[in-house]
Amino acid sequence: MPDESFAGVSPDAARRLLLAAVEAFAERGFHATTTRDIAGRAGMSPAALYIHYKTKEELLYQISKVGHERSVTTLTEAAGSTESAPGRLASAVRSFVHWHAAHHTTARVVQYELAALGPEHYTEILGLRHRCEETLRQVLEDGVASGDFRVSDTRGTTTAIMSLCVDVSRWYRPEGRRAPEDIGELYAELALRMVGCGQAHPGGERRS
Amino acid sequence: MPDESFAGVSPDAARRLLLAAVEAFAERGFHATTTRDIAGRAGMSPAALYIHYKTKEELLYQISKVGHERSVTTLTEAAGSTESAPGRLASAVRSFVHWHAAHHTTARVVQYELAALGPEHYTEILGLRHRCEETLRQVLEDGVASGDFRVSDTRGTTTAIMSLCVDVSRWYRPEGRRAPEDIGELYAELALRMVGCGQAHPGGERRS
DNA sequence: GTCTATAGATTGATAGAC
DNA sequence: GTCTATCAATCTATAGAC
């Protein structure tokens, strides 16, 4: 099961092409991937691609859009609960990191092939990303206001936490030691520490 | 002054080509960059490139090698001082982050275009990177042993800190709010917090 | 060492049969 | 909708004059 993010795409051939493109883009990057390679992975002739997508860039755009929407939803749902700020931060980072590990192929394309998008598509996707960062920053602001967090530079700290989460998709390998759940848990703990809300003794209970 | 990392490269034309390649690769990526573009930026004809470099990949290899060596040196020197573990960690992160911001074009190529290297060059550069990570991990181990740090998963936390530092080269822009020094300082503070050694009250003195 | 010119291969995308 | 065949453009790298 490579990725269920594109399960809703139809017809079948269009979805197969999209999944093949995700795989190829994640492996070699957009510019190093040929349309022949994508079509081949989907078990079709080079020309078949252009029945379902107008250009190679449109494939990247669809991947970026759907992928970004998924990851933004994951983050905002976790960050928007009614919990305390520490709970929301931990939950947001845990979910966001889990997504970037579990869907590391899609995530890699979404995060690192952005520059290959056409100007208008690029701007659109950048907007989604901006909303994502703002959501996280709001959690930090709330935590500072409630006295749970001690952060001198919320904007810079938000960027740092985002870097941490996003970069998981770059180095994560399914054969590796850690499962997506474990990484999410570790990173949630690290994020809490970064905002001055971590416990001193790892492994025990938080906030006695 | 784009980058002094390649000041020692001679003859002059070879260095100009290398700097042009760094610029182009950082801007568009290796595969989206043409040899014509590189030669053009260096003020030469397309063919002139091949007098100094056998292939386009060799240009990337030279950049990756010199760049990686510089960043590794920066990190290991800072991490290898005789200070306490917290001092060494702060110093290492501060220097490493500063380098990735100040040399963000070179750093971006070094960190994100690795996959375009030939297999043997790729393996060689990966070795440098591995040494880099081991150096940082040793600081964390030392800090845990001395009781300064409280870390349950040193390997995972090392990866996280490396992600943080490296990712700076991806989002850093010279026109941005923060200078490389400021980012280095903030990230050193964040790294100390991640290992359970941060102060609760930002802006004050550390370790009273 | 640098140029102009170009070979040789590959690419994104299209035409037209089925 | 999918195929085979192919166009036109572009790319890396080389040949040979100066």
Side-chain angles (χ1 to χ4, degrees):
Chain A
M1 63 186 95
D3 201 320
E4 75 281 10
S5 300
F6 305 98
V9 177
S10 84
D12 183 75
R15 188 181 61 258
R16 264 163 42 221
L17 284 163
L18 211 58
L19 290 171
V22 170
E23 207 178 281
F25 291 163
E27 209 173 294
R28 313 138 114 81
F30 177 82
H31 291 290
T33 299
T34 68
T35 52
R36 282 167 169 78
D37 181 20
I38 296 168
R41 285 179 198 243
M44 303 166 85
S45 79
L49 191 152
Y50 294 92
I51 298 156
H52 303 281
Y53 301 95
K54 212 160 58 181
T55 63
K56 186 172 103 170
E57 192 264 356
E58 202 199 313
L59 269 165
L60 178 63
Y61 172 60
Q62 292 298 338
I63 295 165
S64 297
K65 200 163 79 106
V66 175
H68 244 109
E69 278 164 359
R70 294 266 166 172
S71 80
V72 170
T73 302
T74 301
L75 181 78
T76 48
E77 278 181 3
S81 79
T82 55
E83 279 182 89
S84 65
R88 283 158 62 211
L89 176 61
S91 179
V93 169
R94 187 163 33 230
S95 305
F96 200 54
V97 165
H98 182 278
W99 190 86
H100 277 81
H103 306 93
H104 64 280
T105 34
T106 303
R108 206 171 300 164
V109 177
V110 161
Q111 297 292 349
Y112 296 102
E113 301 297 326
L114 261 188
L117 286 169
E120 67 297 334
H121 288 161
Y122 180 75
T123 315
E124 180 188 336
I125 301 291
L126 222 60
L128 284 173
R129 180 182 294 239
H130 193 72
R131 273 180 37 209
C132 208
E133 189 143 351
E134 281 306 301
T135 301
L136 188 65
R137 191 158 77 92
Q138 193 54 57
V139 178
L140 262 64
E141 303 274 15
D142 292 350
V144 169
S146 68
D148 287 306
F149 300 164
R150 298 180 189 279
V151 177
S152 55
D153 179 351
T154 49
R155 199 178 291 268
T157 306
T158 302
T159 302
I161 294 175
M162 287 289 283
S163 278
L164 214 56
C165 298
V166 160
D167 204 57
V168 169
S169 67
R170 188 173 58 89
W171 58 259
Y172 178 81
R173 298 287 177 279
E175 329 82 59
R177 256 182 306 275
R178 275 169 276 266
E181 287 77 15
D182 304 330
I183 303 170
E185 202 50 50
L186 172 63
Y187 277 45
E189 168 69 31
L190 290 174
L192 282 172
R193 287 182 169 199
M194 289 167 80
V195 297
C197 184
Q199 58 191 351
H201 302 277
E205 297 297 314
R206 179 176 326 292
R207 298 175 63 73
S208 59
Chain B
M1 63 185 99
D3 201 321
E4 76 282 9
S5 299
F6 307 97
V9 178
S10 85
D12 184 75
R15 187 181 61 257
R16 263 162 43 221
L17 284 164
L18 211 58
L19 290 172
V22 169
E23 207 178 281
F25 291 162
E27 210 172 294
R28 312 141 115 83
F30 177 82
H31 291 291
T33 300
T34 69
T35 52
R36 280 170 168 77
D37 181 21
I38 297 168
R41 285 178 197 243
M44 304 167 83
S45 80
L49 191 152
Y50 294 91
I51 298 156
H52 302 281
Y53 301 95
K54 213 159 58 180
T55 63
K56 188 172 102 169
E57 192 266 355
E58 201 198 314
L59 269 164
L60 178 62
Y61 172 60
Q62 293 297 338
I63 295 164
S64 298
K65 200 162 79 106
V66 175
H68 244 107
E69 277 163 359
R70 292 267 166 173
S71 81
V72 170
T73 302
T74 302
L75 181 78
T76 49
E77 277 180 2
S81 80
T82 54
E83 278 182 271
S84 65
R88 283 158 62 209
L89 176 61
S91 180
V93 170
R94 186 163 35 231
S95 305
F96 200 53
V97 165
H98 183 278
W99 190 87
H100 278 80
H103 304 94
H104 63 281
T105 34
T106 304
R108 206 170 300 163
V109 177
V110 161
Q111 297 291 350
Y112 295 102
E113 301 298 325
L114 260 189
L117 287 169
E120 65 299 334
H121 288 162
Y122 179 75
T123 315
E124 180 188 336
I125 302 292
L126 223 59
L128 284 173
R129 180 182 294 237
H130 193 74
R131 272 180 38 209
C132 208
E133 189 143 351
E134 282 305 300
T135 301
L136 188 64
R137 191 159 76 91
Q138 193 55 56
V139 178
L140 262 65
E141 303 273 16
D142 292 350
V144 170
S146 69
D148 287 307
F149 299 163
R150 299 182 188 278
V151 177
S152 56
D153 180 350
T154 47
R155 199 177 290 266
T157 306
T158 303
T159 302
I161 295 175
M162 286 289 284
S163 278
L164 215 57
C165 299
V166 160
D167 205 57
V168 169
S169 67
R170 187 172 59 89
W171 57 259
Y172 178 82
R173 298 286 177 279
E175 326 85 58
R177 256 182 307 276
R178 275 170 275 268
E181 287 77 15
D182 304 330
I183 303 171
E185 201 52 48
L186 172 63
Y187 277 45
E189 170 69 30
L190 290 175
L192 283 172
R193 287 183 168 197
M194 289 168 80
V195 297
C197 184
Q199 60 192 350
H201 303 276
E205 296 299 313
R206 179 176 324 291
R207 296 175 63 72
S208 59

